[in-house]
Amino acid sequence: MAFRTDLAREALSHSKNLRNAAGIRQTQRTIDGFTVDCVEVLSREAAEELRKPCGSYCTMTLAPLTRRESEAFPHAVEVLSGLLTELLPEMDDDASVLVIGLGNRAITPDAVGPLCTEHILATRHLRRALPEQFGSWRAVSAAAVGVLGQTGVEAAEFTRGLCDTVKPSAVIAVDALAAGSLPHLARTIQVTDAGIVPGSGVENARQAFNRETFGVPVIAVGLPTVVDGGSLLWHAKQQGAVCPELEELSGPVFVTPREIDQQVHDAAKVIGYAINRALQPHLSIGDLDLLLS
């Protein structure tokens, strides 16, 4: 039995040794009705204890969006866009960005990355073909690279080849995550400048997406779509539950919401639009609707 999560906020809440440690900095703010919790991992000791690389991890709670509040979508896009802008490196006007959708499109809880790329405005070719119209736009490339079982190629190997060709100044990787508790399923988005290890949340870790792998900053955006059975069992035992059948949850069992199909599609659009707004701030959400329709 083990508690596992890809969310730094959850990992910290379950680490009694780190809650007030010098190597951790926590902040919380509310922006346009959305709560944003940020955890900064500042020391090697804190990183080892938390099992997260050093860096900033911002978790945005999607409560207004899940409640279908008026104007929740544009507000969510603007808040997430602001978080991305804070974490992206400073780039000159000619710098390009590569957006990678990680995951398996055929498996709904793992499809947020590939679906997100459908909402990315690719402009690298437009800058070259039509410099008078698009010369001032950020050069953006986007690709859904599939998974090893489909392609026979590691996602990181695919992306490294793309980086050799595109030579981006930064990579944005979008992937599904594993949460440690049910309330966070499809209701939060984590953004971090520490990169990501695809599949780590479901015990299928692949090559890391980070600066060491690609030589440029990697911003990872993730939506938690599953909870591991071991984490559910951990929570049950903390509450004193005694039931032999619960032990079966410690095996390879993953729980996902009933409405996961709609939730993944909604979140993929929010993430895609937010990336566009961060990279092309002169475009409004209305502009993106027209260009991506």
Side-chain angles (χ1 to χ4, degrees):
M1 177 189 68
F3 177 84
R4 286 195 299 274
T5 179
D6 288 323
L7 300 177
R9 185 179 77 174
E10 283 189 328
L12 182 60
S13 69
H14 286 79
S15 178
K16 297 180 181 179
N17 298 329
L18 282 176
R19 291 176 190 172
N20 298 307
I24 295 289
R25 183 183 300 141
Q26 302 176 69
T27 59
Q28 185 181 88
R29 48 190 161 148
T30 301
I31 311 171
D32 285 341
F34 290 85
T35 301
V36 177
D37 292 280
C38 290
V39 175
E40 293 181 79
V41 183
L42 305 172
S43 69
R44 180 179 301 176
E45 293 75 16
E48 291 177 353
E49 175 72 21
L50 204 61
R51 297 184 181 180
K52 307 290 179 190
C54 289
S56 297
Y57 300 80
C58 293
T59 304
M60 171 183 170
T61 301
L62 303 176
L65 195 66
T66 56
R67 291 195 297 262
R68 303 291 180 181
E69 293 182 4
S70 176
E71 299 300 308
F73 174 77
H75 288 163
V77 169
E78 293 305 315
V79 174
L80 184 54
S81 171
L83 297 177
L84 287 165
T85 301
E86 291 175 5
L87 294 181
L88 281 165
E90 291 188 12
M91 297 179 283
D92 59 38
D93 293 340
D94 293 327
S96 68
V97 174
L98 174 62
V99 181
I100 295 294
L102 297 168
N104 189 339
R105 189 187 300 267
I107 300 176
T108 301
D110 199 30
V112 64
L115 290 173
C116 175
T117 61
E118 297 177 3
H119 300 290
I120 298 298
L121 189 61
T123 57
R124 178 172 175 264
H125 60 303
L126 297 175
R127 278 175 55 97
R128 291 183 173 185
L130 301 167
E132 292 185 2
Q133 291 87 351
F134 296 96
S136 63
W137 293 38
R138 173 76 62 201
V140 178
S141 306
V145 296
V147 294
L148 182 64
Q150 295 172 319
T151 65
V153 181
E154 286 273 8
E157 293 173 332
F158 243 132
T159 304
R160 192 179 298 113
L162 289 171
C163 286
D164 290 342
T165 299
V166 175
K167 295 179 172 51
S169 295
V171 172
I172 299 176
V174 182
D175 198 8
L177 304 178
S181 58
L182 295 174
H184 292 143
L185 280 182
R187 296 180 181 178
T188 56
I189 293 175
Q190 177 175 270
V191 186
T192 176
D193 59 5
I196 191 171
V197 179
S200 59
V202 292
E203 299 185 68
N204 186 33
R206 314 312 307 173
Q207 293 182 17
F209 273 60
N210 54 30
R211 183 189 286 268
E212 289 70 28
T213 302
F214 304 123
V216 297
V218 176
I219 307 300
V221 186
L223 175 78
T225 58
V226 297
V227 171
D228 173 69
S231 296
L232 292 176
L233 179 59
W234 186 91
H235 281 292
K237 290 197 170 183
Q238 293 301 304
Q239 297 176 21
V242 178
C243 179
E245 287 77 9
L246 283 175
E247 297 296 335
E248 296 180 10
L249 291 177
S250 63
V253 176
F254 297 95
V255 176
T256 196
R258 182 178 59 184
E259 305 86 0
I260 189 62
D261 184 80
Q262 188 61 52
Q263 291 172 328
V264 164
H265 278 79
D266 290 347
K269 186 174 181 180
V270 170
I271 295 169
Y273 272 52
I275 291 172
N276 289 322
R277 286 282 294 129
L279 300 180
Q280 315 289 359
H282 63 284
L283 296 178
S284 69
I285 291 178
D287 294 331
L288 293 170
D289 284 335
L290 291 173
L291 292 167
L292 294 167
S293 60

Coordinates of all heavy atoms in Angstrom, one line a residue, residues 12-26 39-40 42-43 46 49-50:
L12 N 2.9 17.4 -0.7 CA 3.3 18.2 0.4 C 2.4 18.0 1.6 O 2.8 17.9 2.8 CB 3.4 19.6 0.0 CG 3.9 20.6 1.1 CD1 5.3 20.2 1.6 CD2 3.9 22.0 0.6
S13 N 1.1 17.9 1.4 CA 0.1 17.8 2.4 C 0.3 16.5 3.2 O -0.2 16.3 4.3 CB -1.3 17.9 1.9 OG -1.6 16.8 1.1
H14 N 0.9 15.5 2.5 CA 1.1 14.2 3.2 C 2.5 14.0 3.7 O 2.9 12.9 4.1 CB 0.8 13.0 2.2 CG -0.7 12.9 2.0 ND1 -1.4 13.7 1.1 CD2 -1.6 12.0 2.5 CE1 -2.7 13.4 1.2 NE2 -2.8 12.4 2.0
S15 N 3.3 15.0 3.7 CA 4.7 15.0 4.2 C 4.9 15.8 5.4 O 5.1 17.0 5.3 CB 5.7 15.4 3.1 OG 7.0 15.4 3.6
K16 N 4.7 15.2 6.6 CA 4.8 16.0 7.8 C 6.1 16.7 8.0 O 6.2 17.7 8.7 CB 4.5 15.1 9.0 CG 3.1 14.5 9.0 CD 2.9 13.6 10.2 CE 1.5 13.0 10.1 NZ 1.2 12.0 11.3
N17 N 7.2 16.1 7.4 CA 8.5 16.7 7.6 C 8.8 17.9 6.9 O 9.7 18.7 7.1 CB 9.6 15.6 7.2 CG 9.5 14.4 8.1 OD1 9.1 14.4 9.2 ND2 9.9 13.2 7.5
L18 N 7.9 18.2 5.8 CA 8.2 19.3 4.9 C 7.3 20.5 5.0 O 7.5 21.5 4.4 CB 8.2 18.8 3.5 CG 9.5 18.0 3.0 CD1 9.3 17.5 1.6 CD2 10.7 18.9 3.1
R19 N 6.2 20.4 5.7 CA 5.2 21.4 5.7 C 5.7 22.8 6.1 O 5.3 23.8 5.6 CB 4.0 21.0 6.6 CG 3.2 19.9 6.0 CD 2.1 19.4 6.9 NE 1.5 18.1 6.5 CZ 0.7 17.4 7.2 NH1 0.2 17.9 8.4 NH2 0.2 16.3 6.7
N20 N 6.7 22.8 7.0 CA 7.3 24.1 7.4 C 8.8 24.1 7.2 O 9.5 24.9 7.8 CB 7.0 24.3 8.9 CG 5.5 24.4 9.2 OD1 4.8 25.2 8.6 ND2 5.0 23.6 10.1
A21 N 9.3 23.3 6.2 CA 10.7 23.2 6.0 C 11.2 24.4 5.2 O 10.5 25.0 4.4 CB 11.0 21.9 5.2
A22 N 12.5 24.7 5.4 CA 13.1 25.9 4.7 C 13.2 25.7 3.2 O 13.2 26.6 2.4 CB 14.5 26.1 5.3
G23 N 13.2 24.4 2.8 CA 13.3 24.1 1.4 C 12.0 24.1 0.6 O 12.0 23.8 -0.6
I24 N 11.0 24.5 1.2 CA 9.6 24.6 0.6 C 9.0 26.0 0.8 O 9.1 26.5 1.9 CB 8.7 23.6 1.2 CG1 9.2 22.1 0.9 CG2 7.3 23.8 0.7 CD1 9.1 21.7 -0.6
R25 N 8.5 26.6 -0.2 CA 7.7 27.8 -0.1 C 6.3 27.6 -0.7 O 6.2 27.1 -1.8 CB 8.5 28.9 -0.8 CG 7.8 30.3 -0.7 CD 8.5 31.4 -1.5 NE 9.9 31.5 -1.0 CZ 10.9 31.7 -1.9 NH1 10.7 31.7 -3.2 NH2 12.1 31.9 -1.4
Q26 N 5.3 28.0 0.1 CA 3.9 27.8 -0.3 C 3.2 29.2 -0.4 O 3.4 30.0 0.5 CB 3.2 27.0 0.7 CG 3.7 25.6 0.9 CD 2.9 24.8 1.9 OE1 1.8 24.5 1.7 NE2 3.5 24.6 3.1
V39 N 3.6 25.6 -4.9 CA 4.6 25.0 -4.1 C 5.9 25.2 -4.8 O 6.1 24.7 -6.0 CB 4.3 23.5 -3.8 CG1 5.4 22.9 -3.1 CG2 3.0 23.4 -3.1
E40 N 6.9 25.8 -4.2 CA 8.2 25.9 -4.7 C 9.1 25.0 -4.0 O 9.3 25.1 -2.7 CB 8.7 27.3 -4.6 CG 8.0 28.3 -5.5 CD 8.6 29.7 -5.4 OE1 9.6 30.0 -6.0 OE2 8.0 30.5 -4.6
L42 N 12.8 24.1 -3.2 CA 14.0 25.0 -3.4 C 15.3 24.2 -3.1 O 16.3 24.8 -3.4 CB 13.8 26.2 -2.4 CG 12.6 27.0 -2.6 CD1 12.4 28.1 -1.5 CD2 12.6 27.7 -4.0
S43 N 15.2 23.1 -2.4 CA 16.5 22.4 -2.0 C 16.4 21.0 -2.5 O 15.4 20.4 -2.7 CB 16.6 22.5 -0.5 OG 15.7 21.7 0.2
A46 N 14.6 18.8 0.1 CA 13.1 18.9 0.0 C 12.7 18.1 -1.3 O 11.6 17.4 -1.2 CB 12.7 20.3 -0.1
E49 N 12.7 14.4 -0.4 CA 11.6 14.0 0.5 C 10.3 14.0 -0.2 O 9.4 13.2 0.0 CB 11.6 15.0 1.7 CG 10.5 14.8 2.7 CD 10.6 13.6 3.5 OE1 11.7 13.1 3.7 OE2 9.6 13.1 4.0
L50 N 10.1 15.0 -1.1 CA 8.8 15.2 -1.8 C 8.7 14.3 -3.0 O 7.6 14.1 -3.5 CB 8.6 16.6 -2.2 CG 7.2 17.1 -2.4 CD1 6.4 17.0 -1.1 CD2 7.2 18.6 -2.9

